[in-house]
Amino acid sequence: MRKVTEINKVINELRKGKTPAYEKLFKLYYPRLFKYAHHFLDDSFVTEDLIQEVFIEVWNKRKLFISEKQFTSYLFKMVRNKCLNILKRKVIEEKYLSSQAQLKSEELYHISFGIEDDFDSMEKNLSQIIEDVITQMPDRCSEAFHLKWIEGKKIREISEIMNISTTMVDKHLAKGLEIARKKFIPPLLLLYICTKR
Amino acid sequence: MSNEKIKELIQNFLEGKLSEEKEEFLLSWVKESETNKNLFLSEQENIQNDLLSSTDRRLEMRWRSLLKKIQNTEKHQRGKIKLRRTASVAAAFIFGVLFTFWATETRDVTSVLVTQNISTPLGAKTNFELPDGSVVWLNSGSKLSYPSEFGEIRSVKLTGEAFFDVKKDKKHFVISTEYGNVEVQGTSFNVKAFKNEVFETTLVSGIVSITEKNTKKRVTLHPGQQADILESKISVKNVDTELYTSWKEGKLIFREEYLPSAVKRLERWYNVTIELDDDPRLSKIWYSGTLEMESFSEVLELLKVTAPISYYYNEKTRTIRIFYD
């Protein structure tokens, strides 16, 4: 039998559209979610907006929540996916390395929010996504891309490894970027990504 | 590892206060055994129950802004866009919760007069009623002082920006500022008197007269007119008053406003520091548009999309630097 915890009671109230319940849940989970997302995004404005967006979706979907575990895992996965989307774009725009997406205590958050799937770190997920993008590119191009974005090598180093001129490396990277953009980022979103230098 | 110590770690973790190292430590403890994991989860539940019944004031601002957003979208869904206006007025009232209020006693020869000081921190606005029933909206980063009871003249002192809806009365209502006095009987108008900026008074209805401090020169304004004082010189022009008064409804309107002055308003509105790069082309950029409840990152994006600029945000100092691209 499912235990009637305090949170389950609050979730029942949320389902009925009671804003005090919504407020309680927001205030309860905000600090943890903020800390988690901020670790990856490293920007308070972006993090605040992201969590606000997630809670707006929670409100719009309030009729669907029936238990604590379902609620917390939804909440957490939403935050995580949104972080992942932002990071993916940042990597493609060369503003971020996928290996930077590291939080050694990440699994603690998964346990705390009741995520039951096998634990996969943000770093691993991000690398997978970027690798997927890269495999869609021509060979030489994907090699340059991998060295630059996954391994974080400098242009000069890449030119030595691939035994080509730095200008050629630039050309490969530019071409790869174009492919990635076409495939993964609608043009409007590009403006949003180019913010962090 | 004592139970007390672990409880403390869990509590701090739930409040987002644990350092990454301590989080790692807690994680390794949790993963040590199934018993530990269950202990963690049951302790988390206990603490969460406590947190649910307590009220966290620190998150009040964020909660208010979220509530506004969901109320706005729901009104949209019902297709009643006009109600947004009411919501933004309500928002101005909600912001009022944040104002700071204190009273200082000044001893008079005959009676005890109390001076009320109301000031708004940067990023917040408030509105309140004066002893005579007049209503004041105080913009962010502003201060108004007034006596607990008005004498022969209703006299208040303003630093910053405020909108006044003055109750009609035989007694004159006088606002003294660093730049001079604004005198009325009963009208509604906006006064802007920030240090090191241009002084402005914008009249919506009624009649006001303004006396410049140094020259004692006096002008009278009619509805729809604005007076400004620059280096002790008063000039009067006709304006669209909404541009200057809409802040009290939670809207920030720019009409062909040059970047340096737009930036000053944004700084107060969002409580951030914005620096402009040393490029003369930056001061030639101008903006037109209305901001309503936009978050600061959305605003920066809007600025970026509409002009050849980029910006860098320094998280530690909360400073934004704007560059010409």
Side-chain angles (χ1 to χ4, degrees):
Chain A
M1 210 179 80
R2 207 180 73 222
K3 228 168 60 180
V4 184
T5 62
E6 279 306 307
I7 292 181
N8 275 319
K9 281 186 211 160
V10 179
I11 289 169
N12 284 337
E13 293 286 292
L14 171 72
R15 198 167 56 243
K16 293 176 198 156
K18 303 266 164 68
T19 46
Y22 181 53
E23 180 181 354
K24 279 183 178 175
L25 293 168
F26 173 75
K27 289 184 174 174
L28 178 62
Y29 292 112
Y30 187 93
R32 247 179 295 171
L33 293 171
F34 182 89
K35 184 122 193 296
Y36 178 80
H38 188 265
H39 177 85
F40 297 110
L41 302 174
D42 197 31
D43 182 317
S44 300
F45 288 136
V46 175
T47 311
E48 274 174 29
D49 284 358
L50 181 143
I51 294 176
Q52 189 175 66
E53 269 174 43
V54 170
F55 270 93
I56 289 171
E57 287 183 49
V58 163
W59 180 253
N60 294 336
K61 293 199 166 71
R62 61 187 181 272
K63 294 202 172 84
L64 304 175
F65 298 115
I66 47 167
S67 75
E68 177 181 354
K69 206 160 215 169
Q70 176 224 21
F71 178 80
T72 57
S73 58
Y74 173 86
L75 196 59
F76 184 75
K77 282 181 177 172
M78 283 280 290
V79 170
R80 197 167 187 278
N81 286 342
K82 280 185 188 283
C83 283
L84 209 50
N85 273 332
I86 292 176
L87 293 183
K88 180 178 85 185
R89 291 191 230 127
K90 280 170 106 174
V91 171
I92 290 174
E93 289 293 319
E94 302 183 59
K95 307 273 163 33
Y96 200 85
L97 279 176
S98 53
S99 56
Q100 270 175 269
Q102 248 193 34
L103 176 61
K104 285 181 181 148
S105 55
E106 199 182 349
E107 198 177 351
L108 189 61
Y109 287 87
H110 288 242
I111 295 169
S112 172
F113 282 94
I115 311 289
E116 279 170 340
D117 323 341
D118 283 338
F119 173 70
D120 249 349
S121 70
M122 183 79 91
E123 185 194 354
K124 200 175 156 201
N125 272 331
L126 187 59
S127 302
Q128 270 165 5
I129 290 173
I130 301 300
E131 288 287 0
D132 286 347
V133 180
I134 292 176
T135 51
Q136 318 254 346
M137 297 175 186
D139 282 355
R140 296 293 273 172
C141 184
S142 76
E143 194 183 345
F145 227 77
H146 183 96
L147 289 167
K148 175 88 170 110
W149 291 354
I150 304 289
E151 294 182 25
K153 293 262 194 293
K154 299 211 168 63
I155 306 277
R156 187 168 299 280
E157 293 172 299
I158 301 172
S159 89
E160 276 162 23
I161 295 166
M162 291 178 66
N163 202 16
I164 51 174
S165 70
T166 48
T167 334
M168 273 311 286
V169 175
D170 278 334
K171 277 190 181 158
H172 281 311
L173 288 175
K175 193 174 175 206
L177 192 60
E178 202 185 321
I179 294 168
R181 279 179 173 164
K182 274 196 193 131
K183 250 195 148 48
F184 291 91
I185 323 166
L188 263 179
L189 284 174
L190 273 174
L191 289 164
Y192 173 74
I193 310 153
C194 307
T195 59
K196 297 278 283 181
R197 287 281 145 94
Chain B
M1 199 66 212
S2 75
N3 258 356
E4 282 312 304
K5 191 89 183 148
I6 286 291
K7 276 184 190 170
E8 197 189 315
L9 284 178
I10 299 173
Q11 170 105 31
N12 284 330
F13 168 70
L14 295 180
E15 290 173 9
K17 287 184 198 157
L18 221 53
S19 71
E20 209 181 317
E21 275 166 24
K22 284 191 172 152
E23 282 183 1
E24 270 177 63
F25 174 82
L26 183 59
L27 175 64
S28 62
W29 179 84
V30 168
K31 285 173 81 177
E32 239 167 53
S33 67
E34 202 59 25
T35 330
N36 283 2
K37 189 177 167 180
N38 289 333
L39 266 171
F40 171 80
L41 289 173
S42 69
E43 191 53 35
Q44 168 169 299
E45 193 187 317
N46 287 339
I47 297 168
Q48 284 183 159
N49 287 346
D50 288 346
L51 287 174
L52 275 178
S53 48
S54 73
T55 42
D56 195 337
R57 305 298 303 175
R58 286 171 310 163
L59 291 171
E60 207 55 36
M61 268 286 270
R62 305 223 166 88
W63 160 246
R64 295 288 177 198
S65 114
L66 173 64
L67 188 64
K68 243 154 22 203
K69 281 244 158 103
I70 64 162
Q71 283 166 349
N72 276 348
T73 47
E74 298 213 329
K75 269 160 199 159
H76 260 307
Q77 281 159 3
R78 280 183 240 136
K80 292 178 184 171
I81 293 155
K82 277 218 160 171
L83 279 175
R84 265 177 84 98
R85 214 182 144 81
T86 345
S88 38
V89 175
F93 281 80
I94 289 163
F95 270 114
V97 178
L98 277 152
F99 71 89
T100 50
F101 183 96
W102 79 94
T104 43
E105 279 184 59
T106 44
R107 272 193 184 278
D108 205 287
V109 192
T110 47
S111 68
V112 179
L113 252 182
V114 178
T115 307
Q116 312 277 13
N117 291 300
I118 293 198
S119 66
T120 43
L122 292 165
K125 294 180 279 296
T126 182
N127 81 326
F128 50 89
E129 204 169 284
L130 295 176
D132 66 333
S134 300
V135 183
V136 181
W137 281 262
L138 201 58
N139 208 346
S140 47
S142 305
K143 183 181 159 187
L144 189 85
S145 312
Y146 60 93
S148 54
E149 217 174 295
F150 284 127
E152 279 308 297
I153 294 172
R154 296 178 284 170
S155 163
V156 301
K157 215 174 143 188
L158 171 75
T159 322
E161 182 167 20
F163 183 90
F164 295 88
D165 199 345
V166 175
K167 202 159 190 183
K168 227 178 156 78
D169 195 300
K170 279 199 189 98
K171 288 180 190 172
H172 277 225
F173 190 98
V174 179
I175 302 151
S176 56
T177 75
E178 215 191 326
Y179 301 90
N181 292 347
V182 181
E183 200 178 323
V184 298
Q185 276 177 313
T187 71
S188 58
F189 58 99
N190 193 67
V191 178
K192 191 171 153 192
F194 283 105
K195 275 199 167 70
N196 306 321
E197 279 186 47
V198 179
F199 167 92
E200 275 172 12
T201 293
T202 314
L203 183 62
V204 177
S205 66
I207 285 182
V208 304
S209 58
I210 297 149
T211 314
E212 201 280 326
K213 200 165 95 184
N214 300 320
T215 60
K216 304 283 176 226
K217 194 178 180 304
R218 190 184 163 106
V219 295
T220 305
L221 287 188
H222 298 282
Q225 284 189 325
Q226 179 184 71
D228 58 55
I229 300 177
L230 188 62
E231 288 161 351
S232 295
K233 264 185 74 182
I234 305 188
S235 49
V236 176
K237 60 181 175 196
N238 290 317
V239 296
D240 174 3
T241 57
E242 201 203 354
L243 273 177
Y244 301 91
T245 59
S246 57
W247 60 266
K248 70 190 207 315
E249 284 140 31
K251 280 196 278 187
L252 198 57
I253 300 183
F254 298 105
R255 199 152 299 167
E256 291 178 15
E257 186 155 346
Y258 285 98
L259 192 61
S261 112
V263 154
K264 277 198 172 155
R265 286 170 70 194
L266 288 172
E267 280 186 313
R268 281 195 293 269
W269 196 263
Y270 290 102
N271 186 19
V272 290
T273 311
I274 306 175
E275 290 168 353
L276 290 178
D277 197 36
D278 270 341
D279 189 323
R281 286 174 297 179
L282 278 176
S283 45
K284 297 213 174 72
I285 295 173
W286 52 264
Y287 282 98
S288 290
T290 303
L291 298 178
E292 208 176 340
M293 304 297 151
E294 261 88 358
S295 74
F296 188 62
S297 50
E298 283 166 340
V299 171
L300 285 174
E301 278 317 300
L302 283 172
L303 294 184
K304 230 182 86 73
V305 171
T306 46
I309 58 162
S310 57
Y311 61 87
Y312 171 78
Y313 172 52
N314 184 330
E315 173 104 358
K316 289 204 178 64
T317 55
R318 273 183 84 83
T319 305
I320 287 108
R321 205 172 166 83
I322 294 180
F323 301 93
Y324 194 89
D325 264 347

PDB file of all heavy atoms in Angstrom, chain A residues 5 26 47 55 118 146:
ATOM      1  N   THR A   5       2.232  10.070   2.731  1.00  0.00           N
ATOM      2  CA  THR A   5       3.187  10.998   3.332  1.00  0.00           C
ATOM      3  C   THR A   5       2.620  12.405   3.230  1.00  0.00           C
ATOM      4  O   THR A   5       1.646  12.656   2.522  1.00  0.00           O
ATOM      5  CB  THR A   5       4.532  10.961   2.594  1.00  0.00           C
ATOM      6  OG1 THR A   5       4.300  11.379   1.249  1.00  0.00           O
ATOM      7  CG2 THR A   5       5.141   9.583   2.611  1.00  0.00           C
ATOM      8  N   PHE A  26       7.126  24.240  -4.593  1.00  0.00           N
ATOM      9  CA  PHE A  26       8.143  25.098  -5.218  1.00  0.00           C
ATOM     10  C   PHE A  26       9.245  25.426  -4.211  1.00  0.00           C
ATOM     11  O   PHE A  26      10.428  25.248  -4.481  1.00  0.00           O
ATOM     12  CB  PHE A  26       7.490  26.382  -5.732  1.00  0.00           C
ATOM     13  CG  PHE A  26       8.461  27.412  -6.242  1.00  0.00           C
ATOM     14  CD1 PHE A  26       9.078  27.245  -7.472  1.00  0.00           C
ATOM     15  CD2 PHE A  26       8.759  28.544  -5.492  1.00  0.00           C
ATOM     16  CE1 PHE A  26       9.974  28.196  -7.949  1.00  0.00           C
ATOM     17  CE2 PHE A  26       9.657  29.497  -5.951  1.00  0.00           C
ATOM     18  CZ  PHE A  26      10.260  29.320  -7.181  1.00  0.00           C
ATOM     19  N   THR A  47      19.807  29.767 -14.732  1.00  0.00           N
ATOM     20  CA  THR A  47      19.299  28.716 -13.847  1.00  0.00           C
ATOM     21  C   THR A  47      17.918  29.079 -13.285  1.00  0.00           C
ATOM     22  O   THR A  47      17.004  28.258 -13.294  1.00  0.00           O
ATOM     23  CB  THR A  47      20.285  28.466 -12.689  1.00  0.00           C
ATOM     24  OG1 THR A  47      21.593  28.314 -13.230  1.00  0.00           O
ATOM     25  CG2 THR A  47      19.923  27.214 -11.924  1.00  0.00           C
ATOM     26  N   PHE A  55       8.695  24.715 -13.390  1.00  0.00           N
ATOM     27  CA  PHE A  55       7.545  24.791 -12.494  1.00  0.00           C
ATOM     28  C   PHE A  55       6.281  25.271 -13.207  1.00  0.00           C
ATOM     29  O   PHE A  55       5.173  24.907 -12.811  1.00  0.00           O
ATOM     30  CB  PHE A  55       7.870  25.645 -11.262  1.00  0.00           C
ATOM     31  CG  PHE A  55       8.430  24.823 -10.142  1.00  0.00           C
ATOM     32  CD1 PHE A  55       9.798  24.662  -9.995  1.00  0.00           C
ATOM     33  CD2 PHE A  55       7.591  24.159  -9.254  1.00  0.00           C
ATOM     34  CE1 PHE A  55      10.318  23.878  -8.985  1.00  0.00           C
ATOM     35  CE2 PHE A  55       8.090  23.369  -8.239  1.00  0.00           C
ATOM     36  CZ  PHE A  55       9.466  23.226  -8.105  1.00  0.00           C
ATOM     37  N   ASP A 118      19.102   3.126 -14.062  1.00  0.00           N
ATOM     38  CA  ASP A 118      20.526   3.042 -13.765  1.00  0.00           C
ATOM     39  C   ASP A 118      21.138   4.418 -13.883  1.00  0.00           C
ATOM     40  O   ASP A 118      20.782   5.192 -14.762  1.00  0.00           O
ATOM     41  CB  ASP A 118      21.217   2.082 -14.756  1.00  0.00           C
ATOM     42  CG  ASP A 118      20.919   0.650 -14.369  1.00  0.00           C
ATOM     43  OD1 ASP A 118      20.583   0.422 -13.191  1.00  0.00           O
ATOM     44  OD2 ASP A 118      20.999  -0.225 -15.253  1.00  0.00           O
ATOM     45  N   HIS A 146      35.641  15.890 -32.988  1.00  0.00           N
ATOM     46  CA  HIS A 146      35.795  15.104 -31.774  1.00  0.00           C
ATOM     47  C   HIS A 146      36.969  15.631 -30.941  1.00  0.00           C
ATOM     48  O   HIS A 146      36.856  15.833 -29.729  1.00  0.00           O
ATOM     49  CB  HIS A 146      36.025  13.632 -32.138  1.00  0.00           C
ATOM     50  CG  HIS A 146      36.132  12.748 -30.930  1.00  0.00           C
ATOM     51  ND1 HIS A 146      35.065  12.055 -30.428  1.00  0.00           N
ATOM     52  CD2 HIS A 146      37.188  12.474 -30.127  1.00  0.00           C
ATOM     53  CE1 HIS A 146      35.448  11.399 -29.355  1.00  0.00           C
ATOM     54  NE2 HIS A 146      36.733  11.620 -29.148  1.00  0.00           N
TER      55      HIS A 146
END
